[in-house]
Structure formats: C-alpha cells, structure tokens
Amino acid sequence: MKALVLSGGAGTRLRPITHTYAKQLVPVANKPVLFYGLEAIAEAGITEVGIIVGDTAAEIEEAVGDGSKFGLDITYLPQSAPLGLAHAVLIAREFLGDEDFVMYLGDNFIVGGIADLVGSFRESRPDAQILLTKVSDPTAFGVAELDASGKVVGLEEKPAQPRSDLALVGVYLFTSAIHEAVRSIKPSWRGELEITHAIQWLIDNRGGVRSTTISGYWKDTGNVVDMLEVNRSVLEAADGGIDGSVDEASEIVGKVRVEAGAKIVGSRIVGPAVIGAGSVITDSYIGPSTSIAESCRITDSEIEFSIMLSGSSVDGVRRIESSLIGRSVEVTPASRVPAAHRLVLGDHSKVQIAS
C-alpha cells in the first residue's frame, strides 16, 4: 500500500503568512503540520509516499528530504496548478500503479493517527473508504449523505444547501478503481477535478464506497483560528521539560518545554507552552497554548494563545493573544505622539485596531 500526500495548495486563508511560506510547514508546537501526517502514515506501516508539490516545492523538499528521517521513501510529484484532489490522483497514476493507497491532505491534523483506519481498509478493501465528521458549517467542506442504513448515497462539494452535517475529513483510502473514476469526471464550476465527484462516480457505477464517522479531534489547519486550536490541542498532550536555562527569578508553571539553548530570564511561563531552541525570553509573561519557535526574542511583553515563527521579536508590547506571527517579524509599541497608526502590511493582511 502507498500514500499520496497533497502539499501543493496556495494557502490563501493563511495569507499573508503563506505569501512566503508553505502552509503545510507552518508549525504546530514547533513542528510543521505536514510532519504529523507523515508520521501517521509511517505508523500505519506505509513506507512509499508520493508528495504532490506546487509553487512551494523547494521549501517542502528541503524540509522533508528523502523521507528517511520519518522511515519513508519519498517521491515528489509536481502539479502545475492546484486543479483539484482528483487531478492529484490523475497525475500520480504512474507512481501509484495498481496498488491500494491512502490520500492524505498535508494541512490536516487527526489525533490518534490512521493506523486503525488503514487496517480496516486492508481487511475489507472497498473501492473507496472515506472519513467523516460532524461540523457546524458543512458549506465549507465536501459533504456526504447517508441513507437510513448508514450507506453513502451521495456527495457534494461545498454545497449551498447541505443535505447533512457530515464533512469529509482529509483522508481517503482507495483501490485502483479510483483511476477509472478520475478519468471519467469533468471539472466542476470551480474549474477543478473534485474528488467528491470521482467518489460519486464510484457510487453510481460500482457501489463499493464505505464511510467511517469519527468523533475524535480533527482540524483542517487552513486558517488561523483552526491553526491556533490545533496548537493548543497538541501542547496539552505534550510533555514538558527544561533543556535550556531558567534563572532563579523566573517561574515555570505547568507543562512547559524549554528547548536546548533557550534562555528564560526574569519571566513567568505558564503551560502548556514551548520555547524554541535559542530563543530568549526576558522580563515577560508567556501564557498557555503558546508556541515560540527557535531564535526568537521576547522582552518586557505578554503573549498568550499564539504561535510565533522563527527569528521574530516582540519588545515592550503589553499584550498579544490569539495571534500568528510569521518569521523574522519585529513587533514594538507605536509612538504615542502623534496619535496615528504606522503600518507596513502585505497583500491580503487583516488588521484590528482599537481606537
């Protein structure tokens, strides 16, 4: 069995971070989201993995390498444009051959991994097995309709009038039957080859589609709110540990991981939290559900329920919360006189100003 991991999307909902950064590499608890998926695939006993890459191919390849650090053998499959999940299957045809495979969206996060799901698929081998979960806004997802017996009878992609609240989670399992399906469908109104249309083709022509509804934790980390929630969830389950230095004037409360080379000086850190290697926290407060990446500087400031990427600094800022701060960012107080805001913002930025 093989795996196909999709890492070619543009990440528009995470702009401006993703103007300069692959969305699959944005870290959760100081580890890229993509790595959690690759680890889950390895734990399921799959070793041959094809990664669909697009404009951020160089970043993905540099971060993942040949896959050996995950116990995987990685093949990179370029996609000229994000033309749909079924298009990804289409261009991966040679790599996949006639083997069964799991398709995993690189920006999805599932607590508990996929080993049990892969095991049950291997035993029964339907043409397709999909993972479902109940969501509050089905219009943002592919949605499945089940009959009274629980059989999948219909799928829709981002429907205006959803027939259920069961959304497709970004993990799919297929036999080689899916290849005929993706060749048989046409692009949707979005101009994409939808995997929901291909699975619907299987339902209409073969009938071998099964579903599993999960009640555990799943998130599509495509936006800031969900990214922060996943970060919180992972930190709560992680172990603390002090590998860096903490001076006597500092206080560590709860599960806090201070990585090697990090320094905590005159500060209070309340977990769950992680302070990355080489970062220096001075006269500051770091609150729960916060991840500070490597080589950051935080001085005389407060940060809570946030993610800060590598090489950034915050100096003299009273309070930051529910924030995603990119790489090599400088955050400082604004001048009180004149009473004006001075901004340098990238495309598609979102700013909230109290005035």
Side-chain angles (χ1 to χ4, degrees):
M1 191 170 185
K2 294 182 178 180
L4 185 64
V5 177
L6 276 60
S7 296
T12 56
R13 291 178 293 162
L14 278 174
R15 287 176 178 168
I17 297 291
T18 49
H19 280 307
T20 56
Y21 207 60
K23 67 175 181 176
Q24 297 84 5
L25 297 181
V26 176
V28 168
N30 285 5
K31 182 165 66 176
V33 171
L34 175 60
F35 288 12
Y36 292 95
L38 294 176
E39 289 169 354
I41 288 167
E43 289 168 2
I46 300 170
T47 58
E48 292 186 72
V49 179
I51 300 184
I52 300 289
V53 291
D55 292 341
T56 59
E59 278 189 278
I60 299 291
E61 291 183 30
E62 182 180 0
V64 176
D66 63 2
S68 57
K69 62 186 175 183
F70 304 99
L72 302 173
D73 180 11
I74 301 291
T75 299
Y76 293 98
L77 306 169
Q79 187 180 33
S80 59
L83 298 175
L85 305 189
H87 181 260
V89 176
L90 200 63
I91 64 175
R93 181 68 177 92
E94 183 177 349
F95 165 77
L96 294 169
D98 291 326
E99 292 193 42
D100 298 347
F101 68 97
V102 56
M103 184 167 74
Y104 197 114
L105 274 59
D107 59 352
N108 274 224
F109 184 89
I110 300 174
V111 169
I114 60 170
D116 290 344
L117 181 68
V118 170
S120 66
F121 175 81
R122 280 173 161 157
E123 290 178 4
S124 55
R125 296 191 68 245
D127 292 332
Q129 187 164 335
I130 58 177
L131 211 55
L132 306 175
T133 191
K134 291 188 175 183
V135 296
S136 57
D137 180 16
T139 61
F141 301 92
V143 176
E145 180 184 5
L146 309 183
D147 65 14
S149 66
K151 181 181 178 181
V152 183
V153 294
L155 299 170
E156 293 181 279
E157 186 65 33
K158 297 180 174 61
Q161 301 293 329
R163 297 176 184 174
S164 82
D165 60 354
L166 293 172
L168 277 76
V169 175
V171 178
Y172 309 80
L173 297 109
F174 298 113
T175 67
S176 59
I178 192 64
H179 297 300
E180 181 181 4
V182 298
R183 291 194 304 268
S184 301
I185 61 173
K186 302 296 183 184
S188 67
W189 61 270
R190 302 194 304 165
E192 298 186 4
L193 289 175
E194 311 285 2
I195 198 66
T196 46
H197 291 179
I199 299 171
Q200 184 67 54
W201 188 94
L202 289 175
I203 294 171
D204 295 340
N205 291 273
R206 297 173 65 99
V209 176
R210 296 184 184 179
S211 69
T212 300
T213 301
I214 63 171
S215 56
Y217 192 84
W218 163 78
K219 282 289 184 183
D220 168 3
T221 61
N223 61 62
V224 174
V225 172
D226 286 341
M227 181 69 71
L228 293 174
E229 274 298 313
V230 171
N231 188 64
R232 177 194 60 76
S233 176
V234 174
L235 287 175
E236 286 181 348
D239 295 326
I242 309 298
D243 293 323
S245 65
V246 179
D247 73 353
E248 294 182 356
S250 297
E251 182 182 12
I252 304 295
V253 180
K255 292 193 297 184
V256 175
R257 188 168 82 247
V258 180
E259 297 180 347
K263 296 181 180 180
I264 312 298
V265 181
S267 299
R268 188 169 192 258
I269 318 294
V270 179
V274 57
I275 310 300
S279 290
V280 179
I281 315 296
T282 305
D283 299 329
S284 296
Y285 167 78
I286 307 299
S289 305
T290 301
S291 293
I292 307 299
E294 68 276 8
S295 303
C296 291
R297 297 290 183 272
I298 300 172
T299 305
D300 190 26
S301 301
E302 297 183 7
I303 302 178
E304 185 168 321
F305 192 59
S306 296
I307 298 173
M308 177 182 287
L309 275 58
S310 62
S312 293
S313 65
V314 176
D315 188 351
V317 178
R318 186 178 65 180
R319 183 76 174 176
I320 294 174
E321 61 182 28
S322 303
S323 298
L324 175 58
I325 299 172
R327 297 175 294 180
S328 302
V329 170
E330 296 181 5
V331 182
T332 58
S335 174
R336 294 185 180 274
V337 180
H341 302 288
R342 179 178 296 174
L343 307 173
V344 179
L345 303 173
D347 296 347
H348 307 285
S349 294
K350 294 182 180 180
V351 178
Q352 293 180 326
I353 296 175
S355 56

